[in-house]
Amino acid sequence: RYGSKLVPYYKVWLASNTTMSFIQWLDEGEGKTLDLADQGHPRQGLRTSSVKYCTKEEREDFEVEIRDGLLYWKKTGELVNADKRRCALDTRFRLLGLPCKYIYVVDLKGTLYIARKRKGFFHHSSFLGARPVRCAGGMIVRDGKLLVINSSSGHYKPTPRMLDETLKMFEDKYGLHRNSGYVKVYPSTSKICFGKIELPAVWNPICGKSNSKKN
């Protein structure tokens, strides 16, 4: 179930005196009939917001191979095309952090999976059933060529080091060289003073060295 929709019910569970675990209380205990519709959190929305977890067979549809620096769908052998927006490399993406429509995870064995994100249904946790990963984020790929990669994942929250080490592994193991021209975008590290709008850290399209300044 989608995390943000569980939070209101989780708060009620915390305030209760139950000895049940949260999920057990929600599905089998007193929380089973609880409906917070009057607070803007209807039970129906909770029921219809289940995030999918892939089986091993389903996961094969999203597995990607990297050969000679290009990305191919393992199942079909076709070049990967993930988000063909022509503005992918302009300043709107680089400075404003335009989100990628396609997400990826790299498992602990170094296998890459890519799929289109479907909010409330298919998230980073969907690929491996929320199991640990080497890295996760968003990608833009055109005709097999990696154009943009970031490590933006609310579930896994990868560090810049995790992204750097994953890209080094891509280079050493698969020949996807870090000087091939793709743009690397780190997660947001600074905030503008008005409101709560977050800006991504400064990127470098080749070597990935940050030029951000601390205020």
Side-chain angles (χ1 to χ4, degrees):
R1 281 163 283 201
Y2 199 34
S4 63
K5 295 184 182 295
L6 285 169
V7 170
Y9 292 83
Y10 181 75
K11 290 180 179 179
V12 176
W13 170 77
L14 285 177
S16 71
N17 294 319
T18 181
T19 57
M20 288 183 165
S21 68
F22 170 58
I23 295 300
Q24 185 181 19
W25 170 86
L26 185 65
D27 293 339
E28 303 172 12
E30 294 180 359
K32 183 177 181 178
T33 58
L34 180 63
D35 192 340
L36 300 178
D38 58 337
Q39 299 179 28
H41 310 291
R43 184 82 181 202
Q44 181 61 26
L46 187 62
R47 295 193 187 100
T48 58
S49 66
S50 297
V51 174
K52 179 177 179 58
Y53 281 3
C54 292
T55 64
K56 180 180 179 181
E57 291 72 24
E58 291 171 331
R59 191 160 53 246
E60 292 175 354
D61 291 338
F62 310 116
E63 187 173 347
V64 171
E65 291 183 324
I66 304 176
R67 304 196 300 267
D68 299 322
L70 294 177
L71 279 63
Y72 297 84
W73 296 113
K74 182 176 181 180
K75 196 167 187 178
T76 65
E78 297 177 350
L79 288 168
V80 174
N81 278 290
D83 199 339
K84 290 187 175 183
R85 286 178 290 186
R86 303 308 302 180
C87 64
L89 301 180
D90 69 14
T91 55
R92 282 174 291 176
F93 179 85
R94 293 170 167 178
L95 298 181
L96 298 181
L98 190 68
C100 296
K101 294 181 179 179
Y102 282 76
I103 57 176
Y104 75 90
V105 301
V106 180
D107 69 16
L108 299 181
K109 295 180 180 180
T111 304
L112 171 64
Y113 300 93
I114 301 176
R116 188 182 181 97
K117 180 175 181 178
R118 295 170 61 186
K119 188 174 182 180
F121 179 72
F122 199 102
H123 292 196
H124 289 105
S125 58
S126 298
F127 293 102
L128 302 173
R131 290 191 290 275
V133 301
R134 180 187 291 264
C135 196
M139 271 188 181
I140 295 179
V141 183
R142 189 177 299 148
D143 297 326
K145 182 177 177 60
L146 176 63
L147 299 181
V148 174
I149 183 169
N150 66 42
S151 53
S152 296
S153 171
H155 180 85
Y156 288 110
K157 300 185 182 340
T159 64
R161 180 178 178 180
M162 291 170 69
L163 177 58
D164 288 340
E165 290 180 347
T166 297
L167 294 176
K168 184 178 185 303
M169 183 269 294
F170 283 170
E171 181 174 45
D172 295 343
K173 190 174 181 179
Y174 303 125
L176 180 56
H177 297 290
R178 285 176 286 178
N179 63 357
S180 61
Y182 60 79
V183 175
K184 174 172 60 175
V185 184
Y186 290 115
S188 300
T189 57
S190 59
K191 297 182 180 180
I192 11 184
C193 58
F194 50 93
K196 297 182 179 179
I197 304 174
E198 295 189 359
L199 295 176
V202 176
W203 48 269
N204 185 298
I206 296 180
C207 63
K209 293 180 180 178
S210 174
N211 297 314
S212 58
K213 297 180 180 179
K214 294 183 179 180
N215 295 325

